[in-house]
Amino acid sequence: MSAALFDLTGKTALVTGSARGLGFAYAEGLAASGACVILNDIREELLQGSVAKLRDKGYQAHGVAFDVTNEEAVESAFASLEQQDLLVDILINNAGIQYRKPMVELELEQWQRVIDTNLTSAFIVSRAAAKRMIARGKGGKIINIGSLTSQAARPTVAPYTAAKGGIKMLTCAMAAEWAEFNIQTNAIGPGYILTDMNTALIENEAFDSWVKASNPSQRWGKPEELIGTAVFLSSAASDYINGQIIYVDGGWLAVL
Ligand code: NAP
Ligand code: GCO
C-alpha cells in the first residue's frame, strides 16, 4: 500500500533549471520513482548532456531549453511538449539565481533580474501548466522552490530573500485558486546545500563555520537529501496537502 502512494509511473514531470544542481537531483529522483521527466535549462548543450545521463540509467527523460523569465518562450515550450504528447502532470519551479550585494550598492536591474528569475518565473511557468492541467481535468502537482530566506533573512541577499518570501505566499495563492481542480501546490525550502550556487560560501572558512554552527545537524545538506520531499510532494501521498512549505534544512529554522 505505502509504496504505491509514492509511485510516479505514468506521470510526466517538468523540472525547470534542472541540467545541474538541485534541479537535476529532483529530476533524477522523480525518474527513479517512475516519472517521465522533462529537464529544462537555458544552455542547450548542458541540457542534452544531462538528459543523456538519465537515459543512460534507463530513465524516461527529455529536454526542453527555454528561459523561465520569457513568457513567449514558456508558452512555445509547452506547445512543443504537447506536440510530443508530453503533458505535464508535475511541475517543479526550481530555476533560480543568486546575487549577493548590499542593497545600497544594488542596481535596479540586478534586483529585477533576481525577482524575475526566482519569483515571476514561477507565476509564468505555473500559469502555463495550470491552464493545461485544468483543461485536462486530471489534476496535477506544482512544487515551488523556496529557501530558508522564505522565512528569515541575512544581509546582502535582499532580492533573493524577497523573491523566496514571495514564493512562500505565491504557493498559498496557487493553492487558493487551483485546489478545487485537484491541483496540489506546495513548496520545498532547502537549507544550505552543497551546489554550485554556494561555491563561494562553501570555500569561505568563516561562512562554512557559520553554516555548521547555525543548524543542529552541524553540516551542509546534500542535493540527494532533497529528493524524498520532492517525490512525496509529487505523489498521491500528498493529495490532501496544499499551500505548505516543507523546510529541508537539518533543523535550522526549528532552533534558537
Ligand atoms: P544552481 O546550481 O545555480 O542551478 C540553478 C539552475 O537554474 C541552473 O541549471 C541554471 O541554468 C538554471 N537557471 C537559471 N536561470 C534560468 C532561467 N532564466 N531559465 C532556466 N533555467 C535557469 O542552483 P541550485 O543550488 O541548484 O538551486 C536551485 C534552486 O534551489 C534555486 O531556485 C535556488 O534558489 C534554490 N535553493 C538552493 C539552495 C542551496 O543551498 N543550493 C537552498 C535553497 C534554495 P544554467 O545551468 O544554464 O546556469
Ligand atoms: C546565501 C545562499 C542561500 C542558500 C539558500 C538557503 O547566499 O545565503 O545562497 O540563499 O542558497 O537559499 O536556504
Side-chain angles (χ1 to χ4, degrees):
M1 163 65 179
S2 59
L5 277 174
F6 297 87
D7 184 0
L8 302 180
T9 303
K11 300 295 183 183
T12 298
L14 169 63
V15 185
T16 65
S18 52
R20 59 191 173 90
L22 292 178
F24 185 74
Y26 297 137
E28 184 168 19
L30 268 60
S33 297
C36 168
V37 296
I38 305 164
L39 277 63
N40 155 261
D41 216 284
I42 312 174
R43 294 183 282 175
E44 181 77 44
E45 71 286 352
L46 189 68
L47 180 62
Q48 291 314 323
S50 299
V51 170
K53 284 178 189 171
L54 294 187
R55 287 181 174 174
D56 289 347
K57 293 188 175 183
Y59 298 137
Q60 303 171 76
H62 302 267
V64 58
F66 62 89
D67 177 345
V68 294
T69 68
N70 180 324
E71 63 180 329
E72 290 76 23
V74 169
E75 278 299 329
S76 171
F78 272 82
S80 166
L81 291 173
E82 282 171 330
Q83 286 165 2
Q84 302 170 65
D85 202 25
L86 293 169
L87 310 179
V88 176
D89 304 297
I90 301 161
L91 168 64
I92 300 184
N93 289 305
N94 168 79
I97 57 176
Q98 180 57 283
Y99 199 85
R100 303 181 181 99
K101 187 177 277 188
M103 272 189 276
V104 293
E105 300 167 20
L106 199 62
E107 301 295 333
L108 179 58
E109 182 280 331
Q110 294 162 333
W111 165 276
Q112 199 60 56
R113 190 162 59 88
V114 176
I115 296 293
D116 288 349
T117 309
N118 292 15
L119 175 59
T120 307
S121 69
F123 158 68
I124 293 171
V125 184
S126 300
R127 179 182 60 180
K131 280 192 295 189
R132 291 163 171 86
M133 289 172 179
I134 292 168
R136 284 204 302 275
K138 295 181 178 176
K141 301 281 188 179
I142 297 176
I143 301 167
N144 297 317
I145 303 301
S147 157
L148 289 177
T149 59
S150 295
Q151 188 61 42
R154 79 176 187 87
T156 75
V157 289
Y160 184 98
T161 303
K164 293 303 187 180
I167 281 289
K168 180 179 169 192
M169 291 315 297
L170 179 60
T171 300
C172 297
M174 290 177 180
E177 290 195 18
W178 297 337
E180 68 178 279
F181 302 107
N182 190 30
I183 297 170
Q184 291 83 48
T185 307
N186 292 287
I188 298 173
Y192 278 83
I193 313 298
L194 295 165
T195 70
D196 296 346
M197 178 178 279
N198 290 331
T199 300
L201 308 180
I202 296 161
E203 293 172 352
N204 179 304
E205 193 174 331
F207 201 98
D208 176 58
S209 299
W210 175 72
V211 169
K212 290 170 179 171
S214 299
N215 77 89
S217 299
Q218 300 179 357
R219 64 177 175 86
W220 294 74
K222 295 171 281 193
E224 57 268 27
E225 292 180 303
L226 276 295
I227 292 173
T229 305
V231 170
F232 167 61
L233 291 177
S234 298
S235 72
S238 59
D239 279 356
Y240 199 53
I241 297 177
N242 237 317
Q244 301 303 308
I245 181 166
I246 299 178
Y247 290 100
V248 185
D249 66 355
W252 193 306
L253 288 177
V255 300
L256 292 177

